[in-house]
Amino acid sequence: VSESPWTASSILPYIENFYPGVEIVDYRYADFTVVGGNALISDNAIHGVSILGQKDNKLWQNVDLANHAVSLYVNDEINVTGSGENVLGSPLIVMAWLANHLHGRGKKLEQGDIVTTGTACSVYYAQAGDIIRADFGELGSVSLSFL
């Protein structure tokens, strides 16, 4: 992707796959919500690792990602719900922002790049023994266990 400026609608045809995912946060602060943007950036934006589910090659393109519900289950009980709107208004807005940001620095997204766009639900602090499932409805789910 090298054209600019990108919008949520113009970037859509260039996105090949959608993967439901869970991000495991990792940070060095007692309270990451109060340290400010520069500290978060220097701490890898509190990103530890991403766990991706099965890719959905085409169905997601017909889904309103901004309004699509996501539910987080902990030990088979619903813990929190959210939607793609919590991701700066839409995951597609994030993708367009990233493409424009890279373009402004002489770079671009390449085929095969995997981009995490942000969280649709609030952060859950997993405990040992928790079984977590992020349910993206018709777009799939991701499950993991914490030992």
Side-chain angles (χ1 to χ4, degrees):
V1 177
S2 61
E3 298 175 27
S4 187
W6 293 99
T7 65
S9 59
S10 69
I11 198 86
L12 182 65
Y14 295 93
I15 302 172
E16 186 175 1
N17 295 308
F18 170 92
Y19 294 85
V22 172
E23 181 179 11
I24 308 298
V25 299
D26 182 26
Y27 53 89
R28 291 149 187 81
Y29 307 105
D31 184 356
F32 73 87
T33 65
V34 298
V35 298
N38 288 337
L40 288 177
I41 291 167
S42 69
D43 197 30
N44 201 29
I46 71 170
H47 176 78
V49 66
S50 293
I51 311 297
L52 303 178
Q54 297 287 11
K55 68 182 173 183
D56 176 335
N57 288 328
K58 299 295 175 200
L59 177 64
W60 71 271
Q61 293 177 340
N62 298 314
V63 172
D64 178 358
L65 294 177
N67 293 304
H68 190 71
V70 178
S71 299
L72 181 70
Y73 289 81
V74 178
N75 302 321
D76 289 326
E77 293 185 19
I78 196 157
N79 179 272
V80 65
T81 60
S83 73
E85 185 176 38
N86 292 336
V87 185
L88 296 180
S90 168
L92 294 176
I93 291 172
V94 174
M95 290 298 297
W97 176 88
L98 178 58
N100 291 324
H101 181 79
L102 290 173
H103 180 79
R105 283 150 184 76
K107 299 181 180 188
K108 62 182 180 175
L109 291 167
E110 300 287 347
Q111 185 173 4
D113 285 349
I114 295 176
V115 176
T116 59
T117 58
T119 182
C121 296
S122 58
V123 174
Y124 171 75
Y125 295 93
Q127 305 296 311
D130 281 349
I131 299 171
I132 308 295
R133 179 170 52 93
D135 186 341
F136 291 76
E138 62 190 313
L139 300 178
S141 65
V142 179
S143 297
L144 57 143
S145 300
F146 290 85
L147 302 176

